[in-house]
Amino acid sequence: KMTTETEIIFHHIRNSTSVLTYTGLRFLIDPWFTPKGFYPGFEMCPTLEGKKTRTPLKDLSTPIEEIMKDIEAILVTHTHNDHWDEYTAKYIPKYIPIYVQNAADKKLIVSQGFTDVRVLGVNTPFKGITITKTHGQHGTDQMFSIPIIAENFGESMGFVFKAPGQKTVFFAGDNILHDYVELALKKHKPDIIVVNAAQAVYEGLEGSSMMGPDDVKKIYEMCPNAKIIPVHMDCYCHTLCTIEKMKKFVDENKLQDRVIVPCDGEKFKF
C-alpha cells in the first residue's frame, strides 16, 4: 500500500534510533548504527557485570541501507555516543541536513566533515513542516550538582513536528519529566509522544538521568488523548527498564489503549 501524505509512520530501529515518516518525508532520529559489543562496559554502571558488559547489547534490527533510504534530514538530540558517534557518521552522506541543539554539537559534527549542520530553533521550517526545539534536563539536580557529571551528561533537546492538517509529534529526548517537558506537553498538545524511558541509573547516585515507567504513566494521565511510545531500552546494562518490563508495566497499569511499546524493527502507522 502506498504511503499517503497524511499517514505518519514511526519505525523503531534500536535504542532511540527511529525513522519518522511525516507528510511523506523520512526523518532519521538519533542515528546509532554501531554493531553489538562495539564499546567497552560502562564504568558508572551500578553492577560489576554491567561494568564489564560491552555495548550495545544487541545488533541493529534493520540494514543501514534500508534506514538511510530517502532520508530528508537527521535530528540529533545530543552527541552522547549512543545517539551519534564516529562509527555511525561513516555511513551518513556528508551533505545531508543535520539538526542539532546547540553550537557545541554543531561544531563537533562539522569537524567530522558534514556540510549542512543546523541549530534547531522555534518553528524552524523544513519543506512545509515546522520543527521546534524543546528544552530538557538529562539528569537530576543532584547529578548536575557534581561538575564532572554535569559536564558529561550535558544538554539534550527534544523537538516537536507540526504541519497543517497533521498530528503533532513530540520527541522528548534523554530527559527527566521536568518542568521543561511538562511545559512542552501543555504548549504543543502532541498527539504522539516518543519518550526515552529506560530509567538509567548510576553508581552512587540517586534517581535516573531519563524517564522510566512511572513517568510514562504520568504522561499518559497528563495527555489524555495522546499515543505514547517508550523507547531507548535494551542497549545498556545501567538501564533498569527493558522492553519486556515496560510491556508488563503497561499491561499491569492498563495503559495499553494508548501506550505502544515497540520491539526493535517494528513499524507503527498513525
Side-chain angles (χ1 to χ4, degrees), residues 36-244:
K36 180 182 173 181
F38 185 83
Y39 288 110
F42 188 62
E43 271 306 306
M44 290 178 72
C45 192
T47 65
L48 193 61
E49 184 201 3
K51 289 184 199 305
K52 293 178 183 171
T53 307
R54 296 182 71 87
T55 56
L57 298 177
K58 52 187 182 179
D59 278 315
L60 211 52
S61 65
T62 309
I64 294 169
E65 305 70 53
E66 192 185 317
I67 298 168
M68 288 306 302
K69 192 176 188 297
D70 301 325
I71 292 295
E72 293 281 342
I74 296 172
L75 290 99
V76 177
T77 55
H78 62 309
T79 51
H80 282 175
N81 68 9
D82 58 327
H83 298 259
W84 177 270
D85 69 346
E86 284 188 13
Y87 181 95
T88 303
K90 294 186 296 193
Y91 292 92
I92 293 172
K94 294 287 186 256
Y95 57 82
I96 202 160
I98 301 174
Y99 286 98
V100 296
Q101 63 173 338
N102 56 28
D105 284 4
K106 175 175 176 169
K107 188 178 174 185
L108 172 77
I109 295 175
V110 167
S111 79
Q112 295 169 334
F114 291 88
T115 58
D116 189 358
V117 187
R118 312 173 185 185
V119 177
L120 195 59
V122 175
N123 294 328
T124 299
F126 187 90
K127 298 188 177 183
I129 295 169
T130 61
I131 311 170
T132 294
K133 171 185 164 176
T134 63
H135 292 278
Q137 187 171 313
H138 191 0
T140 62
D141 289 346
Q142 185 219 358
M143 289 171 183
F144 277 89
S145 71
I146 303 163
I148 184 82
I149 288 174
E151 198 180 319
N152 284 334
F153 285 15
E155 291 179 67
S156 174
M157 70 168 173
F159 40 81
V160 179
F161 280 82
K162 288 184 181 178
Q166 284 281 12
K167 288 182 165 73
T168 296
V169 183
F170 173 43
F171 286 79
D174 265 20
N175 291 305
I176 59 172
L177 187 53
H178 196 271
D179 295 356
Y180 289 127
V181 174
E182 293 191 15
L183 277 168
L185 293 171
K186 283 177 186 146
K187 182 180 178 184
H188 298 287
K189 298 181 175 53
D191 303 289
I192 299 160
I193 304 165
V194 182
V195 182
N196 296 1
Q199 202 177 345
V201 293
Y202 304 86
E203 190 172 43
L205 294 172
E206 285 174 34
S208 165
S209 64
M210 71 173 77
M211 292 187 239
D214 289 341
D215 301 301
V216 169
K217 189 179 179 187
K218 282 177 194 162
I219 292 173
Y220 176 93
E221 287 160 359
M222 284 169 67
C223 307
N225 301 309
K227 294 268 196 289
I228 301 152
I229 307 172
V231 297
H232 203 314
M233 292 167 277
D234 291 17
C235 270
Y236 274 96
C237 282
H238 74 298
T239 53
L240 296 181
C241 189
T242 60
I243 290 171
E244 200 178 315

Side-chain angles (χ1 to χ4, degrees), residues 10 12 229-231 233 243 247 260-264 266 268:
F10 178 82
H12 177 63
I229 307 172
V231 297
M233 292 167 277
I243 290 171
K247 284 181 186 284
I260 299 157
V261 185
C263 292
D264 289 8
E266 248 188 306
F268 297 93

